Amino acid sequence: MQRFALCGPADTLLPRVRQLRDLGLDRIVVVPASRDVDASAIDASISAFAQGVIPSL
């Protein structure tokens, strides 16, 4: 899973996202949840990524 996907809180994601960026990755695809997840949980996931990961890049 760690080779092909990233999941978890910001402090787990940031080191790997930074590593990928340093290797030359300049785009990331965010898939916050599957279709059967409650919309409020999806919104919370998107907000957490936007506030906890993106500003630190």
Side-chain angles (χ1 to χ4, degrees):
M1 177 89 157
Q2 291 178 345
R3 185 172 173 190
F4 299 105
L6 304 172
C7 60
D11 60 336
T12 300
L13 295 176
L14 277 170
R16 182 68 175 136
V17 172
R18 286 180 179 138
Q19 181 183 35
L20 293 169
R21 179 199 58 198
D22 293 346
L23 289 171
L25 185 76
D26 62 355
R27 293 191 177 130
I28 189 168
V29 175
V30 177
V31 180
S34 62
R35 288 187 258 180
D36 61 340
V37 175
D38 181 64
S40 63
I42 295 171
D43 289 343
S45 177
I46 292 169
S47 293
F49 187 83
Q51 295 171 8
V53 177
I54 294 174
S56 298
L57 296 177

